[in-house]
Structure formats: structure tokens, C-alpha cells
Amino acid sequence: MIKSFIGEKVLKYFKKGSVLDLGCGFGKTSIFLAQNGFDITSIDKSKESIGLLNDFCNKNNINIKTYIEDIRYHKSDKKYDIILCINVLHFLNKKEVQKIIEKIKTNTLKNGLNIISVFTEKNPSKNFPYLFKKNELKDFYKDWEILEYKEFITSLEQHDNFIPHKHAIARIIARRKI
């Protein structure tokens, strides 16, 4: 069984349901939730990431609907119990971020969850189109029930270029009230 911090957060609030994972990457959270009985739709613009996710699912008899698509152009009006958008929005500009968060909120069922994680202005690397200001992510959800909100600096990590680094993150778990 694959482990997933975000997946564990979902299980804290939901035991089953439909999930849209926007910018799923290699799909660790999608796989974890599918293994726990959730109906998963995963979207990423990387053919490589979706290919690896599909290969893993095929070899392990896991059912996940996958799409190679840029989240900026995702057109579905389907509503979900849970929408995830983890460490993706800081790659977009402010106007795109606002539009996507509004679409995420609109496409969430009543009592459903949004779990979003973004880089903030405190991020050591400033090489992103958009870095969130303090409490900005929280302000997008002032009309929802905020279950968890945290801004923090990650511990040292390595990926992609293998250079040790940290990130400044804002993470929200919010429930749609109406």
C-alpha cells in the first residue's frame, strides 16, 4: 500500500467518495485513495507522469480515470466530493489561479472538501509565476468552513535536481457549507 500524507488527511474527513486530483503528478495520492475505495479522476499535463500512473494502475489492478490535460483548460462541469490541487497553482499567474480556485469551489458537492497546497512568498526560490501572500489562500475560502489551515516551511527535501532545499507552503482543507 502506498502512503500519502494528503490521502490520510482525506480519510480523516471522508471514508468514500469521488475525487478530482488536479495536477496529480505521478499520482501517489490518487493511488492511495483508490486503494481505499475512492472513485478517482486524475489530471496532469505531463504525458510521462500520467503514463507512469497508468502503468502502475494496470500492473496493480487499480482503477483511476486519467487525463493528460493542463488544468487551466479543464472543462468538465462534473461535481466531486473532494478536489485536490497540491503544489500546482504557484506555476500559474494570479488571474489563472483565481479562475481555477473558483471553478474548484463550484465543482465541489455540498459538504465536499477542497485540499489545496501552494507555495508562499516566503518560499526560498522566487522562480514561480505566482507566490501566495500570507493568508491569501485562506481568504479564498472565507465563505467555506475551514477545517485546517497552516503556513509553514517544509523540512529539507530532494527531488528533480537532487539539490536539498525547502519550500514555504500554505495548505488548506475546507468544507463547502452550501
Side-chain angles (χ1 to χ4, degrees), residues 47-110:
K47 290 179 186 178
E48 178 189 10
S49 294
I50 293 295
L52 290 169
L53 175 56
N54 286 334
D55 288 346
F56 184 89
C57 289
N58 290 337
K59 290 175 185 167
N60 293 280
N61 199 28
I62 297 170
N63 184 25
I64 295 176
K65 292 178 278 307
T66 60
Y67 298 93
I68 301 167
E69 185 176 24
D70 188 315
I71 67 169
R72 293 175 292 185
Y73 310 114
H74 179 64
K75 298 265 189 241
S76 173
D77 287 325
K78 181 177 177 186
K79 295 193 183 290
Y80 295 87
D81 293 304
I82 302 150
I83 300 181
L84 309 173
C85 192
I86 308 302
N87 297 340
V88 176
L89 295 177
H90 44 267
F91 291 106
L92 309 176
N93 66 46
K94 184 175 183 173
K95 187 176 179 181
E96 292 167 330
V97 166
Q98 292 168 333
K99 182 179 174 186
I100 288 170
I101 289 177
E102 284 309 312
K103 184 149 177 88
I104 287 170
K105 290 171 68 177
T106 299
N107 288 351
T108 304
L109 293 166
K110 184 178 179 185

